[in-house]
Coordinates of all heavy atoms in Angstrom, one line a residue:
L456 N 153.8 76.0 83.8 CA 153.3 77.2 83.1 C 152.6 78.1 84.1 O 152.7 79.3 84.0 CB 152.5 76.8 81.9 CG 153.1 76.1 80.7 CD1 152.1 75.7 79.7 CD2 154.2 77.0 80.1
M457 N 151.8 77.5 85.0 CA 151.1 78.3 85.9 C 152.1 79.0 86.9 O 151.8 80.1 87.3 CB 150.1 77.4 86.7 CG 149.0 76.9 85.8 SD 148.0 78.2 85.0 CE 147.5 79.2 86.3
E458 N 153.2 78.3 87.3 CA 154.2 78.9 88.2 C 154.8 80.1 87.5 O 155.1 81.1 88.1 CB 155.2 77.8 88.6 CG 154.7 76.8 89.5 CD 155.8 75.8 90.0 OE1 156.9 76.3 90.0 OE2 155.5 74.7 90.3
I459 N 155.1 79.9 86.2 CA 155.7 81.0 85.4 C 154.8 82.2 85.4 O 155.2 83.4 85.5 CB 156.1 80.6 84.0 CG1 157.2 79.5 84.1 CG2 156.6 81.8 83.2 CD1 157.5 78.9 82.7
L460 N 153.5 81.9 85.2 CA 152.5 82.9 85.1 C 152.4 83.8 86.4 O 152.1 84.9 86.4 CB 151.1 82.3 84.9 CG 149.9 83.2 84.7 CD1 150.2 84.1 83.5 CD2 148.6 82.5 84.5
Q461 N 152.8 83.2 87.6 CA 152.7 83.8 88.8 C 154.1 84.2 89.3 O 154.3 84.6 90.5 CB 152.1 82.9 89.9 CG 150.7 82.5 89.5 CD 150.1 81.4 90.4 OE1 149.7 81.6 91.5 NE2 150.3 80.2 89.9
S462 N 155.1 84.2 88.4 CA 156.5 84.6 88.8 C 156.6 86.1 88.8 O 155.7 86.9 88.5 CB 157.5 84.0 87.8 OG 157.3 84.6 86.5
D463 N 157.8 86.6 89.1 CA 158.1 88.0 89.1 C 158.6 88.6 87.8 O 158.8 89.8 87.7 CB 159.1 88.3 90.2 CG 158.6 88.0 91.6 OD1 157.3 88.1 91.8 OD2 159.4 87.6 92.5
C464 N 158.8 87.8 86.8 CA 159.3 88.2 85.5 C 158.2 88.5 84.6 O 157.5 87.6 84.1 CB 160.3 87.1 84.9 SG 161.0 87.6 83.3
I465 N 158.0 89.8 84.3 CA 156.9 90.3 83.4 C 157.0 89.6 82.1 O 155.9 89.1 81.5 CB 156.8 91.8 83.3 CG1 156.6 92.4 84.7 CG2 155.7 92.2 82.4 CD1 155.3 92.0 85.4
L466 N 158.1 89.6 81.4 CA 158.3 89.1 80.1 C 157.9 87.6 80.0 O 157.3 87.2 79.0 CB 159.7 89.3 79.6 CG 160.1 90.8 79.3 CD1 161.5 90.8 78.8 CD2 159.2 91.4 78.2
A467 N 158.3 86.9 81.0 CA 158.0 85.5 81.1 C 156.5 85.3 81.3 O 155.8 84.4 80.7 CB 158.8 84.7 82.2
Q468 N 155.9 86.1 82.2 CA 154.5 86.1 82.4 C 153.7 86.3 81.1 O 152.7 85.5 80.8 CB 154.1 87.1 83.4 CG 154.4 86.8 84.8 CD 154.0 87.9 85.8 OE1 154.0 89.1 85.4 NE2 153.5 87.6 86.9
V469 N 154.1 87.3 80.3 CA 153.3 87.6 79.1 C 153.4 86.4 78.1 O 152.4 86.1 77.5 CB 154.0 88.9 78.4 CG1 153.4 89.0 77.0 CG2 153.7 90.1 79.3
Q470 N 154.6 85.8 78.0 CA 154.7 84.7 77.1 C 153.9 83.5 77.6 O 153.3 82.8 76.8 CB 156.2 84.3 76.9 CG 157.1 85.3 76.2 CD 156.5 85.7 74.8 OE1 156.1 84.8 74.1 NE2 156.6 87.0 74.5
A471 N 153.8 83.3 78.9 CA 153.1 82.2 79.4 C 151.6 82.4 79.2 O 150.9 81.5 78.9 CB 153.4 82.0 80.9
V472 N 151.1 83.6 79.4 CA 149.7 83.9 79.2 C 149.3 83.7 77.8 O 148.3 83.1 77.5 CB 149.4 85.4 79.7 CG1 148.0 85.8 79.1 CG2 149.5 85.5 81.2
R473 N 150.2 84.1 76.8 CA 149.9 83.9 75.4 C 149.8 82.4 75.0 O 148.9 82.1 74.3 CB 151.0 84.6 74.6 CG 150.9 86.1 74.5 CD 152.0 86.7 73.7 NE 152.0 88.1 73.7 CZ 152.9 88.9 73.2 NH1 154.0 88.4 72.6 NH2 152.7 90.3 73.2
L474 N 150.7 81.6 75.6 CA 150.6 80.2 75.3 C 149.3 79.6 76.0 O 148.6 78.8 75.3 CB 151.8 79.5 75.9 CG 151.9 78.0 75.6 CD1 151.8 77.7 74.1 CD2 153.2 77.4 76.2
L475 N 149.0 80.0 77.2 CA 147.9 79.4 77.9 C 146.6 79.9 77.2 O 145.6 79.1 77.1 CB 147.9 79.8 79.3 CG 148.9 79.1 80.2 CD1 149.0 79.7 81.6 CD2 148.5 77.6 80.4
S476 N 146.6 81.1 76.7 CA 145.4 81.7 76.0 C 145.1 80.9 74.7 O 144.0 80.6 74.4 CB 145.5 83.2 75.7 OG 145.6 83.9 76.9
S477 N 146.2 80.5 74.1 CA 146.1 79.7 72.8 C 145.6 78.4 73.2 O 144.7 77.8 72.5 CB 147.5 79.7 72.1 OG 147.4 78.8 71.0
L478 N 146.1 77.7 74.2 CA 145.7 76.4 74.6 C 144.2 76.4 75.1 O 143.5 75.4 75.0 CB 146.6 75.8 75.7 CG 148.0 75.6 75.3 CD1 148.8 75.1 76.4 CD2 148.1 74.6 74.1
A479 N 143.8 77.5 75.7 CA 142.4 77.6 76.2 C 141.4 77.5 75.1 O 140.2 77.2 75.4 CB 142.3 78.9 77.1
Q480 N 141.8 77.7 73.9 CA 140.9 77.6 72.8 C 140.7 76.2 72.3 O 139.9 75.9 71.4 CB 141.3 78.5 71.6 CG 141.4 80.0 72.0 CD 141.9 80.9 70.9 OE1 141.1 81.3 70.0 NE2 143.2 81.2 70.9
K481 N 141.5 75.3 72.9 CA 141.4 73.9 72.5 C 140.7 73.1 73.6 O 141.0 73.1 74.7 CB 142.8 73.3 72.2 CG 143.6 74.0 71.2 CD 145.0 73.4 71.1 CE 145.9 74.2 70.2 NZ 145.4 74.1 68.8
N482 N 139.6 72.4 73.2 CA 138.8 71.6 74.2 C 139.7 70.6 75.0 O 139.4 70.4 76.1 CB 137.6 70.9 73.5 CG 136.6 71.9 73.1 OD1 136.3 72.8 73.7 ND2 136.0 71.6 71.9
D483 N 140.7 70.1 74.3 CA 141.5 69.0 75.0 C 142.3 69.6 76.2 O 142.6 68.8 77.0 CB 142.6 68.5 73.9 CG 141.9 67.7 72.8 OD1 140.7 67.4 73.0 OD2 142.5 67.4 71.8
F484 N 142.5 70.9 76.2 CA 143.4 71.4 77.3 C 142.6 72.2 78.4 O 143.1 72.6 79.4 CB 144.4 72.4 76.7 CG 145.5 71.6 76.0 CD1 145.5 71.7 74.6 CD2 146.5 70.9 76.6 CE1 146.5 71.0 73.8 CE2 147.4 70.2 75.9 CZ 147.4 70.3 74.5
L485 N 141.2 72.4 78.1 CA 140.5 73.2 79.0 C 140.5 72.7 80.5 O 140.8 73.4 81.4 CB 139.0 73.3 78.6 CG 138.7 74.5 77.7 CD1 137.2 74.4 77.2 CD2 138.9 75.8 78.4
Y486 N 140.2 71.4 80.6 CA 140.2 70.8 82.0 C 141.6 70.9 82.6 O 141.6 71.2 83.8 CB 139.7 69.3 81.9 CG 139.8 68.7 83.3 CD1 138.8 69.0 84.3 CD2 140.8 67.8 83.7 CE1 138.8 68.4 85.6 CE2 140.8 67.2 84.9 CZ 139.9 67.6 85.9 OH 139.9 67.0 87.1
D487 N 142.6 70.6 81.9 CA 144.0 70.6 82.5 C 144.4 72.0 83.0 O 145.0 72.2 84.0 CB 145.0 70.2 81.4 CG 144.7 68.8 80.9 OD1 145.1 67.8 81.6 OD2 144.1 68.6 79.9
I488 N 143.9 73.1 82.2 CA 144.3 74.4 82.6 C 143.4 74.8 83.8 O 143.9 75.4 84.8 CB 144.0 75.4 81.5 CG1 144.9 75.2 80.3 CG2 144.1 76.9 81.9 CD1 144.6 75.9 79.0
L489 N 142.1 74.5 83.7 CA 141.2 75.0 84.8 C 141.5 74.2 86.1 O 141.2 74.7 87.2 CB 139.8 74.7 84.4 CG 139.2 75.7 83.4 CD1 137.9 75.2 82.8 CD2 139.1 77.1 83.9
N490 N 142.1 73.1 86.1 CA 142.3 72.3 87.3 C 143.7 72.5 87.8 O 144.1 71.8 88.8 CB 142.1 70.7 87.0 CG 141.9 70.0 88.2 OD1 141.2 70.4 89.1 ND2 142.5 68.8 88.3
C491 N 144.5 73.4 87.2 CA 145.8 73.7 87.7 C 145.7 74.5 89.1 O 144.8 75.3 89.2 CB 146.6 74.6 86.7 SG 147.4 73.6 85.4
Q492 N 146.6 74.2 90.0 CA 146.7 74.9 91.2 C 147.2 76.3 91.0 O 148.2 76.5 90.3 CB 147.6 74.2 92.2 CG 147.6 74.8 93.6 CD 148.3 73.9 94.6 OE1 148.4 72.7 94.4 NE2 148.8 74.5 95.7
A493 N 146.6 77.3 91.6 CA 147.0 78.7 91.3 C 146.5 79.5 92.5 O 145.5 79.2 93.2 CB 146.3 79.2 90.1
T494 N 147.3 80.6 92.8 CA 146.9 81.5 93.9 C 146.1 82.7 93.3 O 145.1 83.1 93.8 CB 148.2 82.1 94.6 OG1 149.1 82.6 93.6 CG2 148.9 81.0 95.3
H495 N 146.5 83.2 92.2 CA 145.8 84.2 91.5 C 146.3 84.3 90.0 O 147.4 83.8 89.7 CB 146.0 85.6 92.1 CG 147.4 86.0 92.2 ND1 148.1 86.5 91.2 CD2 148.3 85.9 93.2 CE1 149.3 86.8 91.5 NE2 149.5 86.4 92.8
P496 N 145.4 84.7 89.1 CA 145.8 84.7 87.7 C 147.0 85.5 87.3 O 147.6 85.3 86.3 CB 144.5 85.2 87.0 CG 143.4 85.0 87.9 CD 144.0 85.2 89.3
G497 N 147.3 86.5 88.1 CA 148.5 87.4 87.8 C 148.1 88.9 87.7 O 146.9 89.2 88.0
S498 N 149.0 89.7 87.4 CA 148.8 91.1 87.4 C 148.8 91.8 86.0 O 148.6 93.0 85.9 CB 149.8 91.8 88.3 OG 151.1 91.6 87.8
L499 N 148.9 91.0 85.0 CA 148.9 91.5 83.6 C 147.4 91.6 83.2 O 146.9 90.7 82.6 CB 149.7 90.6 82.7 CG 151.1 90.4 83.1 CD1 151.7 89.3 82.2 CD2 151.9 91.6 83.1
L500 N 146.8 92.7 83.5 CA 145.3 92.8 83.4 C 144.8 92.4 82.1 O 143.9 91.5 82.0 CB 144.9 94.3 83.7 CG 144.9 94.6 85.2 CD1 144.5 96.1 85.3 CD2 144.0 93.8 86.0
F501 N 145.2 93.0 81.0 CA 144.6 92.8 79.7 C 144.8 91.3 79.3 O 143.8 90.6 78.9 CB 145.1 93.7 78.6 CG 144.5 93.5 77.3 CD1 143.3 93.9 77.0 CD2 145.3 92.8 76.3 CE1 142.7 93.6 75.7 CE2 144.7 92.6 75.0 CZ 143.4 93.0 74.8
E502 N 146.0 90.9 79.3 CA 146.3 89.5 78.9 C 145.6 88.5 79.8 O 145.0 87.4 79.2 CB 147.9 89.2 78.9 CG 148.7 90.0 78.0 CD 148.5 89.5 76.6 OE1 147.8 88.5 76.4 OE2 149.0 90.2 75.7
V503 N 145.5 88.7 81.0 CA 144.8 87.8 81.9 C 143.3 87.8 81.7 O 142.6 86.8 81.8 CB 145.1 88.1 83.4 CG1 144.3 87.3 84.3 CG2 146.6 87.8 83.7

């Protein structure tokens, strides 16, 4: 999901951000999301 978030496809990025934003509201997934390897959150300012 983090790779998709950093891909070149805007539509896929938007959908990945929406899913990750939903998961970020669940305590069970916070550590898994925060510990993912990433270069930068992406360029979709508002969603990110």
Side-chain angles (χ1 to χ4, degrees):
L456 292 176
M457 294 304 301
E458 287 184 29
I459 295 172
L460 185 61
Q461 300 169 83
S462 68
D463 295 327
C464 179
I465 299 296
L466 290 177
Q468 284 181 323
V469 169
Q470 294 301 322
V472 168
R473 286 178 179 172
L474 180 59
L475 288 168
S476 293
S477 174
L478 296 177
Q480 298 179 84
K481 302 177 185 293
N482 287 322
D483 291 347
F484 290 104
L485 266 176
Y486 176 75
D487 300 278
I488 297 173
L489 288 169
N490 201 41
C491 278
Q492 183 171 335
T494 55
H495 56 81
S498 59
L499 306 172
L500 285 177
F501 179 74
E502 292 288 353
V503 171

